[in-house]
Amino acid sequence: MEILKYKVIKTREQYDDYCRELERLDNSGDADKFVDEAELLTLLIEAYDAERNTFSDYNPIELLQSLMADHQLKARDIASILNVSKGYVSDILHYKKGMSKEIIRKLADHFRVNQKAFNRPYSLKLPTRLMVPNEQISIHA
């Protein structure tokens, strides 16, 4: 009797192990060789996420920050993944800009999560310096 390499995820530790394995397969440089294995891991991870609603405790920015920590990624890594500037990623991470549909799609694809995890409302922070009424602005040409 053959022992299964992967089983239905029942613990957070198993979930984390499968996420790391999926990332390893994706970064192996030979991803085509492991397509079926990656698809199976993705299904198991998504089923666990859906059953336990693992993302409901986080707003999309907190989720992104958590995933970045889990995968040991920095803002520059996310900028590279999204093909945007590091400043743009910084604005997103500091609640200064919202995520576009394209950004949501790329993040969901990269982290292998449902787009719904990133496509939820959250509040942006207003600039700390607001213009005072009657304040004059000088523009130099």
Side-chain angles (χ1 to χ4, degrees):
M1 184 157 133
E2 186 179 335
I3 296 176
L4 296 174
K5 185 171 182 178
Y6 301 110
K7 300 176 182 177
V8 173
I9 301 172
K10 296 182 180 163
T11 66
R12 181 62 192 216
E13 182 181 354
Q14 184 184 13
Y15 172 84
D16 292 338
D17 289 343
Y18 283 18
C19 288
R20 281 190 293 276
E21 180 63 14
L22 180 59
E23 185 175 0
R24 187 191 68 74
L25 291 175
D26 284 345
N27 296 329
S28 70
D30 199 9
D32 293 340
K33 182 178 175 182
F34 302 107
V35 170
D36 290 338
E37 192 171 349
E39 286 178 352
L40 176 58
L41 282 169
T42 300
L43 285 172
L44 293 169
I45 290 166
E46 286 177 351
Y48 183 89
D49 287 337
E51 184 177 311
R52 289 173 180 70
N53 202 11
T54 56
F55 302 127
S56 66
D57 295 338
Y58 298 109
N59 73 41
I61 303 304
E62 292 169 335
L63 173 61
L64 176 57
Q65 292 167 338
S66 175
L67 289 167
M68 287 171 64
D70 289 348
H71 295 273
Q72 299 175 342
L73 297 172
K74 304 237 182 273
R76 70 175 175 268
D77 302 316
I78 298 299
S80 177
I81 290 164
L82 300 175
N83 197 28
V84 297
S85 72
K86 189 177 146 205
Y88 185 73
V89 171
S90 178
D91 285 348
I92 289 173
L93 291 172
H94 290 96
Y95 297 86
K96 294 179 181 178
K97 290 193 186 232
M99 292 187 211
S100 69
K101 289 179 184 178
E102 181 70 11
I103 296 295
I104 289 169
R105 186 188 59 74
K106 286 180 180 180
L107 288 172
D109 287 347
H110 179 78
F111 290 111
R112 303 236 183 226
V113 298
N114 191 307
Q115 289 183 21
K116 291 178 188 174
F118 291 110
N119 195 15
R120 293 184 292 137
Y122 61 95
S123 298
L124 296 178
K125 293 182 180 174
L126 293 174
T128 55
R129 171 111 166 82
L130 296 176
M131 193 169 165
V132 178
N134 299 324
E135 183 179 354
Q136 293 188 359
I137 300 174
S138 59
I139 301 174
H140 302 283

